[in-house]
Each structure stands twice: as structure tokens, then as C-alpha cells.
Amino acid sequence: MIDFFINAYKNVSTFHIVLEFIAFVFGILSVWYAKKENIWVYPTGLVATIITTYLLYIAGYLGDMMINGYFTIMSIYGWYYWSKKGPEKDGLKITRTNSNEKIIGIALFFVTIFVVFGIYTFFDYEIKYDNYIDIFASGIFFTGMWYMAKKKIENWTLWILGDLIVTPLYAYRGLGMLSLQYLIFTILAITAYLEWKKTLDNSPTQEVQK
């Protein structure tokens, strides 16, 4: 297993490895801060997503690149939205999605799939079977990131599902650190869901935000 990850980096530049490691560390920090409802989820996430977008662009994985490009945009939006509602836990509260937000989430999932597929087609990129997997994961992650910006507990359900999908995908592609990162993301997402659920269950109103 160790040889599998090491061999993937034999012909990779030191600069590339350093960038991937930085994205690895800041990505984990971002999920940890998200678990704690700390607004630092967004600045740390921005570092990780910007670097990862660049690395995936070089590797030619358009679907994954779009996911992280969107993460970058949503990190800026989420940073603003959480800040506007007040500092960390004293501001925006954890809630469940209402009916309208569920519909928007489903729509966002399918629109994302069609858009990413369209981009592959537009650039005449050969779509292999693993690309269909990351196209599907794109829809999950796009929706999950939007729910996170709104502090909806369902974001963690989507993160867990998406992480379980892309962890073996990145390992297959030889992106060892990203694969390990998403494996750690999966564990953190499970614990974060449980922590957010406990907070939500203990909320006096459990009011669903419109």
C-alpha cells in the first residue's frame, strides 16, 4: 500500500508535491473548523481549494477541477454569509433544510451533472468511466457546499457520500495524498454530522430557516 502511494510521486516535481501537501493540511483544517462551526472553515478552505483547482487543471481532470473551483467561490460566499449572521456559534444556527431548499438542492445536483458533462463534451474531452464517477460526485459536492454555506445539517450527509466515492477514485488516479485526505474527510464528516446533530437536537427551537 505504501509503495502504491510512493510510486505515484516518483516522476512528480517537488513543487507539485509541496503544493499537494499544503492543500492536504489546509483541507483537513477546513473540515475540522466546519465541524466546530468555526468561521475559519472558509479561509483555510480557500487555500486548499485554490491549490487543488490548479493541480487538477494541470492533471486534466475537468470535473474535479470544476468542483474545487466552485468550492472556492462558495467559500467566499459562505465566509460572507456566516460573518453577516454573526461570529461563529453566536450567529447563524444549524438547521435542517426546508422543502424549498430540498428542491433547490436536487435541482442543483442535476444541473451540475449536465453542466460538467457539457464542459467535457465542449472541450472534446474523452469521457472515461472514472470521469462519469467524478461527474456524479460533482453534483453531490456542489449541493453539499451550498448546504454548508447555509449551515444545513444535510451538508454532512452529502459530504460523507461524496467522500466515500472519490477516495478510491483518487487512489486509482495516483493522487495518493488527495485520496488519503478524502479518507480523513470521511471520518471527520461522520463525527461532524454527529456533533451538529447533537447541537441541533439540543436547540430550544429547532427552527427551520427560510
Side-chain angles (χ1 to χ4, degrees):
M1 180 63 70
I2 295 177
D3 289 339
F4 173 79
F5 286 108
I6 293 178
N7 289 336
Y9 291 95
K10 280 186 175 180
N11 299 317
V12 177
S13 68
T14 302
F15 176 70
H16 181 116
I17 295 174
V18 170
L19 283 180
E20 193 171 335
F21 180 74
I22 293 173
F24 174 86
V25 172
F26 276 83
I28 292 174
L29 282 175
S30 179
V31 178
W32 176 260
Y33 282 129
K35 173 184 174 182
K36 297 299 181 181
E37 299 177 65
N38 191 308
I39 199 168
W40 275 92
V41 55
Y42 291 113
T44 52
L46 275 170
V47 174
T49 56
I50 290 173
I51 293 176
T52 304
T53 300
Y54 169 73
L55 293 175
L56 291 169
Y57 169 75
I58 293 177
Y61 297 125
L62 299 181
D64 304 86
M65 182 192 74
M66 283 192 61
I67 293 174
N68 282 273
Y70 170 80
F71 285 174
T72 301
I73 296 171
M74 286 304 296
S75 290
I76 296 172
Y77 170 76
W79 194 350
Y80 166 77
Y81 194 76
W82 282 32
S83 298
K84 187 176 69 171
K85 295 295 182 179
E88 301 174 13
K89 295 185 181 181
D90 294 328
L92 186 63
K93 302 297 183 183
I94 298 171
T95 56
R96 298 187 185 279
T97 55
N98 56 36
S99 297
N100 288 337
E101 288 163 340
K102 284 184 172 64
I103 292 173
I104 293 173
I106 293 171
L108 183 58
F109 170 78
F110 284 106
V111 168
T112 300
I113 287 177
F114 286 118
V115 169
V116 176
F117 181 82
I119 289 176
Y120 272 110
T121 304
F122 178 80
F123 286 100
D124 198 25
Y125 191 92
E126 181 184 1
I127 303 179
K128 302 177 182 178
Y129 75 89
D130 60 308
N131 296 125
Y132 286 105
I133 297 175
D134 72 56
I135 289 173
F136 180 77
S138 297
I140 295 174
F141 285 136
F142 271 47
T143 307
M145 191 66 180
W146 185 71
Y147 281 160
M148 174 174 282
K150 298 291 185 179
K151 231 175 193 182
K152 303 297 177 180
I153 193 171
E154 289 86 352
N155 89 87
W156 292 116
T157 304
L158 295 178
W159 285 119
I160 293 168
L161 176 59
D163 292 343
L164 287 172
I165 292 173
V166 301
T167 295
L169 178 64
Y170 282 132
Y172 167 77
R173 288 172 168 175
L175 298 171
M177 271 193 275
L178 277 179
S179 177
L180 178 59
Q181 182 186 56
Y182 275 89
L183 176 60
I184 296 173
F185 282 173
T186 304
I187 298 170
L188 288 175
I190 292 172
T191 60
Y193 173 81
L194 295 174
E195 192 165 319
W196 278 37
K197 186 176 185 300
K198 182 179 179 181
T199 300
L200 183 61
D201 290 342
N202 292 334
S203 174
T205 59
Q206 294 193 39
E207 180 183 359
V208 177
Q209 293 183 350
K210 301 294 182 181

